[in-house]
Amino acid sequence: MIRNTVRALIIQDGRLLAIKKERPEVGVYYTLPGGAQEIGETIEQTLQRECLEELGMDVVEHKFICIREYISKNHEYSFIMKEVHAVEFIYECRIKATDTFVSSQADVGQIGTEWISIEKIKQGISESDRLSITYQFPITTNDFLKEYFNDQILDPYRNTTFES
């Protein structure tokens, strides 16, 4: 079965907001906030609900940026999530500025949230040795961030103009 999911790309003050997770089989790693669409929910409602559940924060503005496909059997965490096929809708989001997050329904393995410097992410995604990376993202997220932050058209430090 194919499922729709959303991911929130939240950038403020040169930092990316990430979900910090830990699993015995993997160790500590980071993901973008988001999750699966429920029946009867629009994608935008899913985005709002997932950010509220995982971050305890409302999305105040959002802008769709891309779709990507995730097929778990093709990736390094296939032993955790077998037979997942998701179409991910990724949105640039703005939330109310805060450093305190309270998740009401954390994901399995979620141990917190963290603002990560974009410069450190860019440094990490350019490293050839994944063992030396300070912030470990799943390969698909790492590849997305590499493309996003290295795209000359997109300036990750810009003040995105959101349309209502």
Side-chain angles (χ1 to χ4, degrees), residues 137-148:
F137 290 92
I139 290 173
T140 56
T141 303
N142 191 68
D143 291 347
F144 165 75
L145 293 173
K146 185 175 191 175
E147 194 173 314
Y148 181 83

Side-chain angles (χ1 to χ4, degrees), residues 10 17 19 33 50-57 101-103 113:
I10 302 168
L17 182 59
I19 300 295
E50 287 289 339
C51 286
L52 190 58
E53 288 176 0
E54 293 178 359
L55 304 172
M57 297 298 295
F101 300 97
V102 180
S103 62
T113 56

Side-chain angles (χ1 to χ4, degrees), residues 108-120:
V108 173
Q110 182 175 338
I111 59 173
T113 56
E114 193 169 326
W115 286 103
I116 304 172
S117 159
I118 291 171
E119 288 305 318
K120 286 187 180 182

Side-chain angles (χ1 to χ4, degrees), residues 83-134:
E83 299 185 33
V84 172
H85 186 167
V87 176
E88 294 186 330
F89 296 81
I90 302 177
Y91 286 83
E92 287 179 338
C93 298
R94 202 171 280 160
I95 58 172
K96 293 177 186 169
T98 182
D99 283 327
T100 306
F101 300 97
V102 180
S103 62
S104 63
Q105 190 173 343
D107 279 351
V108 173
Q110 182 175 338
I111 59 173
T113 56
E114 193 169 326
W115 286 103
I116 304 172
S117 159
I118 291 171
E119 288 305 318
K120 286 187 180 182
I121 292 171
K122 287 171 78 171
Q123 178 183 1
I125 58 181
S126 67
E127 296 284 334
S128 58
D129 179 12
R130 283 185 55 86
L131 297 176
S132 66
I133 296 173
T134 305

Side-chain angles (χ1 to χ4, degrees), residues 60-74:
V60 294
E61 295 180 85
H62 64 276
K63 184 173 101 176
F64 173 74
I65 58 169
C66 70
I67 293 175
R68 63 176 198 153
E69 194 169 26
Y70 175 81
I71 302 172
S72 63
K73 70 178 182 179
N74 299 335

